Amino acid sequence: GVYRVEAGEQAVVRQFGAFNAIQQPGLHYRLPAPITTLVKVNVEQIRTAQVGFRVTPEGIQARALDEALMLTTDNSIVEAQMVIQYRVGDPRAFVFNVRDPEDVLHTAGEVALRSIVGRTKLSPLLTGGRANVEQDTRVFLESLLSVYNPGIQITDLKLQTVEPPDQVKDDFQE
């Protein structure tokens, strides 16, 4: 029944499946499973979610066009990719409030980016308006996450690429 919570972690303790306590780093005692179970959550690690692309374990970046292609307010199509950096802010909510908090973040991030890109004209997206799009997307994403409360705290949000899709670029080059 003795367990250790490492530095940077917190343990969410369940007794008979219901929330019982949050344990801080150190040595602790618990009743054996199935009476008491625990989930250790790293609350200091900065994690990354990608919208519009994926990075393979080999480090190769692969586009996800089903997420990346978006329509602007002036009916132009753009390919937008975004990186969200986050950490677990509330381990209890992270474990109990939603089934897959990282999937909720990814989906909410895509919704937020599509919403803001859909309200923006093409020229600000391709030029100096990217900072405003990033800021508006972050505000929208945080408001969506407050509804679901997955226990996630956004630390940074950056647009990777915002450009016309390859088909459009090929048409201009001809």
Side-chain angles (χ1 to χ4, degrees):
V2 175
Y3 65 96
R4 180 171 58 187
V5 179
E6 300 293 333
E9 292 181 335
Q10 291 182 356
V12 179
V13 180
R14 299 179 195 197
Q15 196 159 25
F16 298 111
F19 174 76
N20 181 280
I22 300 260
Q23 294 294 342
Q24 300 300 323
L27 286 176
H28 303 279
Y29 176 79
R30 68 179 174 98
L31 297 172
I35 298 170
T36 305
T37 58
L38 61 104
V39 177
K40 294 180 185 178
V41 179
N42 189 328
V43 294
E44 290 184 2
Q45 175 189 11
I46 301 296
R47 304 168 190 220
T48 303
Q50 300 137 354
V51 176
F53 71 102
R54 299 288 178 278
V55 177
T56 65
E58 297 82 29
I60 300 169
Q61 184 171 322
R63 294 162 47 193
L65 290 178
D66 58 324
E67 296 174 4
L69 293 178
M70 301 180 190
L71 193 62
T72 64
T73 192
D74 54 359
N75 292 325
S76 299
I77 297 174
V78 294
E79 181 178 340
Q81 298 174 352
M82 176 176 70
V83 173
I84 305 166
Q85 291 185 325
Y86 65 97
R87 67 180 193 79
V88 176
D90 180 356
R92 179 180 180 179
F94 190 77
V95 170
F96 282 101
N97 287 1
V98 293
R99 183 181 310 268
D100 186 352
E102 290 164 331
D103 189 46
V104 168
L105 172 66
H106 182 267
T107 304
E110 184 181 349
V111 167
L113 183 59
R114 282 186 187 283
S115 178
I116 300 304
V117 167
R119 297 182 207 165
T120 309
K121 292 189 176 192
L122 179 63
S123 59
L125 284 170
L126 300 177
T127 59
R130 289 175 61 140
N132 290 338
V133 171
E134 287 175 352
Q135 180 60 32
D136 293 347
T137 302
R138 181 176 179 155
V139 168
F140 193 92
L141 176 57
E142 288 174 344
S143 71
L144 276 176
L145 290 178
S146 70
V147 172
Y148 296 107
N149 190 19
I152 290 175
Q153 178 182 8
I154 305 296
T155 58
D156 199 15
L157 183 143
K158 292 287 181 202
L159 288 174
Q160 289 292 97
T161 359
V162 178
E163 57 188 26
D166 290 340
Q167 299 88 341
V168 175
K169 288 189 276 188
D170 291 343
D171 289 345
F172 282 119
Q173 290 174 355
E174 292 177 0

